[in-house]
């Protein structure tokens, strides 16, 4: 099998995976839930901004506002807001960059970092196990290698995660236009798209975890529990790594930061340096898939 | 057509825990035949198919498909088709979509894959429902889609595990006719419990019991078609003594009005002598059956092996 032949098979399997997933109510429900969660969180954020703005208005002795964004310029220079942003993006340098970005797009990326790992892992967990159970995988396994089959499913899941996250932009955009003042529609949409692309890269390792879990069991439910559990565990490990970093265990902490996608998360805020973590995440995804493949390669179908 | 056998298994053993599903199974299936793969439930037919197709790893032994060695999807792309018995089709797609997808994985580009899907949907008589969801098709229709998937691209070797299961008699006859047309062009290995059907379809037989090979060869060899006849006769005195004198090498047995006759010589010449002597004794021939029949041979073999 040539490399081109393998890539062709991966593409064909991925194409079929996308078509199949779009036809299931589960995929559509996940798309919908993701969009609702992103839009809902964006709305809550506008209300938080409104509360902070009105607090600021009281301090300045000016009338309170009914719609968020009326005092955004003043807000940007307030210490409260800067510390809020610093908490979100992780560094002072990144704050300077994101101050030039529509605040709702910044929030959307921050929220995506929390949500998209669970979404990607959960959705991908079904990709193989359901066909292992029904043995329908046999029809494809006769015609292509198991590696191409699994990578095709993984690529299909990445496409689906990309579609879901891009569709969610429209909900957040609508919230930005209706519940927040001062947003230029083109600028807001452009930044939402640009930052969501980074979130998509961040989702890759977690989609890999989902596909890995899916290769280990014939039960989609159990695969999902494993994938979501591992994703939650990675956040706990990330917290542990931060604790170790602050408590004189920097070598172990650095090692964990290298292998955990969350360890690269803050660099994804950087204006140009986000490319490196994006590449790392796009490598960590297939690595996670391959961990599951060690079992899948030799298993009876 | 190459002289290399279509399929060779050598000492293949498959264990599931302590259960021995295949026990040192060795067999050879020549090219161009339609081979019946026969055995009682639990004989190891489906396991053998799964091992050959690479779905299941053998515990020991070797498989050689079309002279290329063990199953390799890259080498056998488009040359080897399988209908797995217990695999469900992805039911969110239409038959046409699924067949096009599988044909593309077989190496075809989109347009030929579409043509091939249409050809096979016609062959399995689903041309009128190409765009229905598979989930909405009856069991028999799904089975026919699965059969079509195994025949995509006219592969050199096709394994069909219970292809007639769930088909009504008309559908089964139609599929049998379609498969018969492929004899000599492709090698088909067909597993079924319907031995009468296999006897009409196949020209090669492999019999398994308890994971072991109990018989293999051409249909005529296995059923003894060339050496045994059963005569159903009208009432009267069968001239057994005269038959035994005229054909001293042959063996005659009478049970009621059925005369069984085995010969190691030329069956045609013996038959002429028997007919003449029966006619001279005013005995009419009401029926004649050649060989023991696949079912009878199968029952005899499985009982014999069960007793050992």
């Amino acid at each position: 099998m040539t490399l081109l032949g393998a890539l062709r098979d991966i593409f064909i399997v991925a194409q079929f995976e996308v078509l199949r997933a779009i036809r299931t109510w589960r995929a559509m429900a996940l798309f919908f839930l993701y969009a609702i969660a992103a839009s809902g969180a964006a709305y809550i954020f506008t209300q938080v901004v409104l509360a902070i703005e009105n607090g600021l208005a009281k301090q300045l002795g000016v009338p309170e506002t009914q719609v968020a964004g009326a005092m955004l310029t003043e807000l940007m220079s307030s210490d409260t807001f800067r510390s809020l942003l610093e908490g979100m993006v992780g560094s002072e340098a990144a704050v300077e960059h994101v101050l030039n970005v529509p605040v709702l797009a910044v929030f959307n990326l921050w929220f995506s970092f929390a949500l998209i790992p669970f979404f990607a892992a959960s959705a991908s967990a079904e990709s193989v196990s359901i066909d292992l159970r029904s043995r329908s995988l046999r029809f494809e396994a006769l015609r292509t290698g198991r590696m191409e089959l699994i990578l095709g499913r993984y690529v299909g899941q990445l496409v689906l995660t990309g579609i879901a996250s891009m569709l969610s932009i429209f909900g957040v955009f609508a919230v930005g236009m209706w519940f927040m003042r001062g947003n230029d529609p083109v600028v807001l949409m452009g930044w939402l798209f640009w930052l969501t692309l980074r979130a998509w890269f961040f989702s890759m390792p977690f989609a890999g975890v989902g596909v890995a879990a899916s290769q280990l069991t014939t039960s989609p439910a159990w695969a999902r529990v494993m994938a979501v559990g591992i994703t939650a565990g990675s956040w706990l490990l990330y917290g542990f790594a931060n604790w170790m970093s602050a408590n004189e265990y920097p070598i172990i902490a650095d090692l964990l930061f290298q292998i955990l996608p969350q360890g690269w998360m803050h660099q994804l805020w950087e204006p140009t340096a986000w490319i490196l973590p994006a590449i790392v995440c796009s490598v960590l995804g297939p690595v996670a898939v391959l961990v599951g493949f060690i079992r899948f390669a030799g298993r009876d179908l | 057509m190459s002289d290399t056998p279509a399929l060779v298994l050598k000492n293949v053993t498959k264990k599931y825990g302590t259960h021995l599903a295949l026990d040192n199974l060795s067999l050879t299936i020549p090219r161009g035949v339609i081979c019946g793969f026969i055995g009682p439930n639990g004989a190891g037919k489906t396991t053998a198919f799964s091992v050959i197709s690479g779905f299941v790893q053998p515990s020991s032994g070797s498989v050689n498909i079309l002279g290329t060695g063990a199953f390799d999807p890259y080498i056998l792309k488009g040359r080897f088709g399988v209908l797995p018995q217990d695999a469900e089709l992805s039911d969110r797609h239409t038959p046409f979509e699924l067949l096009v997808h599988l044909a593309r994985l077989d190496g075809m580009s989109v347009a030929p894959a579409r043509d091939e899907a249409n050809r096979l949907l016609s062959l399995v008589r689903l041309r009128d429902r190409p765009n229905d969801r598979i989930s909405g098709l009856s069991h028999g229709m799904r089975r026919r889609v699965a059969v079509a998937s195994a025949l995509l691209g006219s592969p050199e070797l096709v394994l069909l595990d219970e292809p007639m299961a769930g088909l009504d008699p008309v559908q089964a006859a139609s599929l049998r006719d379609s498969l018969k047309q492929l004899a000599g062009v492709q090698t088909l290995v067909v597993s079924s419990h319907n031995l009468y059907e296999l006897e009409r379809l196949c020209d090669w037989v492999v019999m398994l019991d308890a994971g072991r090979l109990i018989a293999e060869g051409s249909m005529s060899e296995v059923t003894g078609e060339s050496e045994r006849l059963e005569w159903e006769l009208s009432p009267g005195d069968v001239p057994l003594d005269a038959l035994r004198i005229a054909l001293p090498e042959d063996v005659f047995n009478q049970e009621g009005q059925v005369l069984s006759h085995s010969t190691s010589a030329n069956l045609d010449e013996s038959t002429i002598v028997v007919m003449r002597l029966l006619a001279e004794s005013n005995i009419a021939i009401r029926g004649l059956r050649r060989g023991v029949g696949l079912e009878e041979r199968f029952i005899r073999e499985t009982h014999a092996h069960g007793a050992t």
Side-chain angles (χ1 to χ4, degrees):
Chain A
M1 183 68 136
T2 61
L3 178 64
L4 269 181
L7 290 174
R8 178 184 182 273
D9 282 3
I10 290 169
F11 172 74
I12 292 169
V13 174
Q15 204 178 20
F16 202 63
E17 174 74 355
V18 171
L19 183 64
R20 183 178 72 150
I22 285 174
R23 290 231 173 120
T24 65
W25 66 267
R26 281 194 196 91
M28 301 316 287
L30 279 172
F31 280 14
F32 184 70
L33 283 175
Y34 187 82
I36 291 289
S39 309
Y43 175 75
I44 291 167
F45 178 72
T46 60
Q47 299 311 298
V48 171
V49 170
L50 181 64
I52 297 172
E53 280 182 330
N54 284 336
L56 192 64
K58 269 186 190 168
Q59 281 178 16
L60 297 174
V62 295
E64 292 189 3
T65 174
Q66 296 300 310
V67 180
M71 298 180 67
L72 215 51
T73 312
E74 293 82 353
L75 198 64
M76 293 286 194
S77 55
S78 77
D79 290 342
T80 312
F81 195 74
R82 283 182 75 93
S83 62
L84 178 74
L85 277 182
E86 197 175 329
M88 285 165 69
V89 304
S91 75
E92 184 73 32
V95 169
E96 293 305 322
H97 167 58
V98 299
L99 279 172
N100 299 314
V101 176
V103 67
L104 197 62
V106 173
F107 172 78
N108 189 54
L109 178 58
W110 177 80
F111 183 73
S112 296
F113 281 152
L115 184 67
I116 209 166
F118 291 97
F119 172 78
S122 175
S124 304
E126 203 179 81
S127 61
V128 181
S129 57
I130 198 164
D131 289 339
L132 276 174
R133 188 175 59 183
S134 70
R135 294 183 172 166
S136 63
L137 210 58
R138 288 180 167 193
F139 292 98
E140 288 171 306
L142 273 171
R143 295 166 165 91
T144 189
R146 293 189 182 193
M147 176 67 85
E148 286 82 349
L149 194 51
I150 293 304
L151 287 178
R153 297 281 168 112
Y154 171 64
V155 172
Q157 288 300 322
L158 291 186
V159 172
L160 288 165
T161 309
I163 292 171
S165 50
M166 290 302 167
L167 285 178
S168 74
I169 286 177
F170 293 100
V172 177
F173 177 77
V175 169
M177 298 314 295
W178 283 333
F179 299 104
M180 208 166 190
R181 277 187 202 158
N183 277 317
D184 180 278
V186 176
V187 172
L188 178 61
M189 184 53 97
W191 275 107
L192 279 171
F193 175 80
W194 190 233
L195 295 185
T196 299
L197 186 65
R198 301 181 195 190
W200 179 65
F201 276 104
F202 185 65
S203 76
M204 290 180 179
F206 301 99
V209 165
V211 174
S214 198
Q215 294 172 76
L216 303 178
T217 172
T218 56
S219 161
W222 180 226
R224 185 165 287 131
V225 167
M226 276 196 284
V228 171
I230 292 167
T231 301
S234 73
W235 282 104
L236 291 176
L237 209 54
Y238 176 65
F240 183 58
N242 276 314
W243 178 84
M244 283 197 293
S245 178
N247 287 277
E248 297 179 357
Y249 301 103
I251 297 172
I252 301 171
D254 279 351
L255 180 69
L256 287 173
F257 286 142
Q258 299 299 313
I259 60 170
L260 288 172
Q262 291 92 334
W264 298 88
M265 189 171 58
H266 291 309
Q267 284 189 51
L268 282 166
W269 289 103
E270 304 285 344
T272 53
W274 72 274
I275 298 291
L276 176 66
I279 292 169
V280 170
C281 286
S282 63
V283 172
L284 285 175
V287 168
V289 172
L290 291 180
V291 171
F293 189 76
I294 293 167
R295 163 86 177 97
F296 182 78
R299 79 171 296 153
D300 292 345
L301 296 180
Chain B
M1 193 174 286
S2 165
D3 290 337
T4 320
L7 184 63
V8 179
L9 268 65
K10 275 190 185 161
N11 305 319
V12 173
T13 296
K14 175 65 186 177
K15 284 181 186 171
Y16 290 107
T18 55
H19 172 65
L20 199 57
L22 296 177
D23 183 4
N24 233 14
L25 178 66
S26 295
L27 57 88
T28 301
I29 298 173
R31 292 208 185 209
V33 300
I34 301 185
C35 172
F37 211 73
I38 302 165
N41 288 334
K45 302 184 298 292
T46 297
T47 304
F49 275 26
S50 297
V51 167
I52 296 163
S53 314
F55 302 145
V56 166
Q57 304 298 318
S59 307
S60 63
S62 68
V63 176
N64 192 332
I65 304 168
L66 299 168
T68 65
F71 174 77
D72 183 328
Y74 309 124
I75 293 172
L76 292 169
K77 210 177 243 284
R79 297 179 64 194
F80 179 50
V82 179
L83 166 69
Q85 187 196 5
D86 42 10
E88 294 168 21
L89 295 165
S90 178
D91 60 5
R92 294 155 196 165
H93 299 278
T94 69
F96 182 73
E97 283 170 354
L98 182 67
L99 293 177
V100 169
H101 169 62
L102 296 177
R104 289 183 69 201
L105 280 180
D106 270 336
M108 293 182 206
S109 50
V110 176
R114 286 169 166 266
D115 293 344
E116 182 65 356
N118 281 324
R119 180 183 77 82
L120 284 161
L121 285 170
S122 298
L123 184 80
V124 298
R125 303 192 180 200
L126 280 172
R127 195 69 190 87
D128 54 334
R129 304 189 68 174
N131 297 316
D132 287 13
R133 287 272 183 102
I134 289 171
S135 56
L137 300 180
S138 68
H139 176 76
M141 288 174 177
R142 290 183 199 202
R143 200 74 190 144
R144 282 186 279 158
V145 175
V147 170
S149 79
L151 299 174
L152 277 168
S154 304
E156 291 165 54
L157 172 62
V158 183
L159 309 185
L160 301 169
D161 200 353
E162 297 283 355
M164 319 291 183
L167 302 188
D168 64 42
V170 175
Q171 292 171 344
S174 156
L175 182 58
R176 194 170 52 239
D177 291 344
S178 304
L179 296 179
K180 259 194 164 170
Q181 290 168 18
L182 307 175
V185 183
Q186 292 167 256
T187 307
L188 304 184
V189 183
V190 184
S191 142
S192 173
H193 282 110
N194 189 335
L195 302 187
Y196 178 66
E197 189 176 77
L198 284 185
E199 194 167 356
R200 286 192 288 169
L201 178 66
C202 302
D203 50 8
W204 193 267
V205 182
V206 167
M207 279 189 195
L208 301 187
D209 190 22
R212 285 171 291 172
L213 181 77
I214 54 173
E216 73 173 329
S218 68
M219 183 64 82
S220 59
E221 285 168 2
V222 170
T223 57
E225 200 173 273
S226 58
E227 59 187 22
R228 193 166 191 264
L229 288 174
E230 276 187 356
W231 306 79
E232 194 185 333
L233 306 173
S234 63
D237 291 333
V238 176
L240 267 180
D241 291 340
L243 287 166
R244 284 172 179 151
I245 290 166
L247 298 165
E249 301 294 317
D250 293 10
V251 178
F252 293 93
N253 283 303
Q254 186 184 358
E255 276 185 40
Q257 289 311 114
V258 175
L259 175 71
S260 65
H261 165 208
S262 302
T263 181
S264 53
N266 186 316
L267 187 67
D268 293 340
E269 287 172 11
S270 294
T271 305
I272 292 166
V273 175
V274 173
M275 286 171 70
R276 180 170 53 77
L277 289 172
L278 289 173
E280 285 172 7
S281 303
N282 289 323
I283 306 259
I285 300 162
R286 289 182 170 171
L288 185 60
R289 192 157 70 100
R290 215 174 159 181
V292 291
L294 189 59
E295 190 171 77
E296 192 180 330
R297 175 69 195 268
F298 173 69
I299 291 167
R300 192 192 297 168
E301 290 289 345
T302 49
H303 281 178
H305 283 79
T308 54

